[in-house]
């Protein structure tokens, strides 16, 4: 596994298992367990996914030491609006059956996020969170946060895939030392046309890899943390088997040219949840 050093000194494994749309119960438990047993050391969940309990059970069932796992969860929008950061964070710890998380994120840039951030800074000082960050923040959201706190998020988790590369925001974050994590790195699970894209299929054939592996490798070579989701053990294994090849600059450029600026998810400047 490769690691990226965060601004606060902690290291984050560059590939993690994302468990969005992975149902609570055996499915999540098995996915988390399979991933950890296959060599993953990074799991990304969120309160709103409703699967923190099974994520914790998967970690226990894997036999991998908690201290060797980078675990992320996220603070949900309604709880930010209601000013309930401290109590819902405690509930996440209880469900995950752990006494700390490696990374806690503001899930979306909703109103009252500044108060939530100040509370997260305190929780970090108390040792219950190793690193704090944000998700779905645009450049202006990051700039606004900097006006109320000197503590800079070490991570911004945003949407990025070959058809929605989000490169300008990635460049901005990287120029400020903010590590970018990407969600739906393969283009998500709804009407996914990326996994059958002709150019990507052509590149994949050349390296003897799958399209998913080529996309994951492309993200890694852009210096971002990749969070592919799968509930299938063979795919979970495949998605981490990306350390034995590297894309040439020419192939990186071919993928760069696929950008359609087409989001699969919500726009952080216009959402209603
Ligand atoms: P599944 O869970 O059925 O494997 P994302 O971009 O959000 O990570 O979404 C990935 C989507 O692609 C999921 O729907 C997942 O479905 C599927 N997927 C994940 N890994 C692979 C793979 N290696 N090959 C093909 N499909 C994959």
């Amino acid at each position: 596994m490769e690691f990226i050093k965060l601004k606060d000194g902690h290291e984050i494994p560059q590939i993690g298992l994302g468990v969005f749309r992975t149902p609570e119960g055996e499915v999540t438990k098995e996915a988390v367990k399979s991933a950890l047993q296959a060599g993953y050391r990074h799991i990304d969940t969120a309160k709103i996914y409703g699967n923190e309990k099974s994520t914790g059970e998967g970690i226990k069932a894997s036999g991998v030491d908690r201290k060797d796992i980078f675990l992320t969860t996220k603070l949900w929008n309604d709880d930010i609006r209601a000013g309930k950061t401290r109590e819902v964070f405690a509930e996440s710890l209880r469900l995950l059956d752990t006494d700390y998380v490696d990374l806690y994120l503001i899930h979306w840039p909703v109103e009252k996020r500044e108060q939530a951030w100040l509370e997260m800074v305190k929780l970090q000082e108390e040792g219950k969170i190793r690193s704090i960050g944000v998700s779905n923040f645009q450049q202006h959201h990051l700039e606004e946060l900097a006006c109320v706190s000197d503590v800079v998020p070490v991570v911004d988790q945003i949407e990025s895939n070959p058809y929605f590369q989000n490169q300008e925001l990635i460049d901005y974050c990287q120029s400020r030392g903010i590590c970018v994590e990407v969600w739906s790195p393969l283009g998500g699970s709804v009407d996914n046309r990326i996994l059958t894209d002709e150019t990507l299929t052509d590149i994949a054939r050349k390296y003897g890899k799958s399209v998913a592996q080529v996309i994951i490798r492309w993200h890694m070579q852009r210096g971002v943390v990749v969070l592919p989701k799968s509930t299938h053990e063979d795919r979970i294994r495949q998605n981490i088997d990306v350390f034995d090849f590297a894309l040439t600059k020419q192939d990186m450029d071919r993928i760069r040219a696929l950008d359609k600026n087409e989001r699969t998810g919500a726009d952080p400047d216009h959402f209603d949840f």
Side-chain angles (χ1 to χ4, degrees):
M1 180 49 68
E2 290 181 11
F3 294 81
I4 291 181
K5 194 161 197 161
L6 301 175
K7 227 177 159 62
D8 61 12
H10 293 296
E11 292 203 319
I12 184 167
Q14 210 179 351
I15 301 177
L17 179 76
V19 294
F20 178 47
R21 295 208 167 103
T22 308
E24 170 79 337
E26 278 307 302
V27 182
T28 293
K29 183 177 166 186
E30 277 306 308
V32 169
K33 180 178 145 208
S34 305
L36 292 170
Q37 290 182 343
Y40 286 70
R41 288 296 177 267
H42 177 176
I43 307 291
D44 181 279
T45 185
K47 182 193 174 197
I48 195 66
Y49 302 168
N51 56 19
E52 289 178 307
K53 185 166 184 288
S54 323
T55 297
E57 288 168 359
I59 289 174
K60 288 269 147 58
S62 74
V64 176
D65 254 12
R66 168 67 186 94
K67 69 170 172 33
D68 296 327
I69 300 168
F70 191 101
L71 178 61
T72 300
T73 193
K74 312 184 191 86
L75 176 60
W76 184 241
N77 302 354
D78 294 339
D79 300 320
I80 297 172
R81 294 183 182 106
K84 286 169 134 182
T85 303
R86 188 163 281 268
E87 58 196 277
V88 299
F89 173 72
E91 176 66 2
S92 286
L93 285 188
R94 193 186 66 75
L95 289 168
L96 288 162
D97 196 13
T98 184
D99 50 12
Y100 72 98
V101 294
D102 294 273
L103 179 63
Y104 199 45
L105 303 177
I106 290 183
H107 207 147
W108 286 85
V110 296
E111 57 279 18
K112 300 208 179 157
R113 57 187 176 274
E114 291 84 2
Q115 288 97 312
W117 182 254
L118 297 174
E119 202 59 54
M120 285 164 62
V121 170
K122 284 190 213 147
L123 288 165
Q124 185 184 33
E125 285 165 1
E126 291 164 25
K128 295 178 181 134
I129 306 172
R130 297 257 160 101
S131 298
I132 51 177
V134 296
S135 184
N136 300 301
F137 273 42
Q138 308 276 52
Q139 180 176 332
H140 71 91
H141 298 121
L142 291 164
E143 288 167 351
E144 286 155 23
L145 191 61
C147 297
V148 300
S149 172
D150 291 336
V151 183
V152 178
V154 295
V155 160
D156 191 2
Q157 185 180 124
I158 60 176
E159 179 178 1
S160 179
N161 63 62
Y163 289 174
F164 182 73
Q165 299 191 9
N166 220 347
Q167 194 61 48
E168 222 175 285
L169 181 54
I170 292 176
D171 290 342
Y172 171 78
C173 288
Q174 290 181 339
S175 74
R176 297 287 186 288
I178 299 171
C179 175
V180 173
E181 300 184 323
V182 300
W183 57 259
S184 284
L186 305 176
S189 50
V190 181
D191 187 26
N192 187 319
R193 285 166 295 123
I194 299 179
L195 290 168
T196 51
D197 179 275
E198 228 174 88
T199 303
L200 292 170
T201 305
D202 187 49
I203 295 173
R205 201 177 301 120
K206 180 172 140 189
Y207 292 91
K209 288 285 178 179
S210 70
V211 169
Q213 288 170 318
V214 164
I215 299 173
I216 291 166
R217 188 70 216 180
W218 168 72
H219 284 300
M220 289 181 70
Q221 290 182 218
R222 300 157 86 204
V224 302
V225 172
V226 202
L227 303 168
K229 171 256 168 188
S230 183
T231 53
H232 296 95
E233 193 177 344
D234 54 335
R235 290 176 174 172
I236 289 173
R237 289 180 177 275
Q238 191 193 112
N239 294 345
I240 205 178
D241 178 18
V242 292
F243 296 97
D244 59 350
F245 76 113
L247 298 168
T248 61
K249 173 156 189 327
Q250 192 193 11
D251 289 327
M252 290 294 289
D253 291 344
R254 281 176 81 193
I255 302 175
R256 178 76 185 101
L258 296 177
D259 199 2
K260 301 179 199 285
N261 201 23
E262 232 174 52
R263 289 183 187 276
T264 65
D267 181 339
D269 283 316
H270 304 98
F271 63 96
D272 59 0
F273 49 86

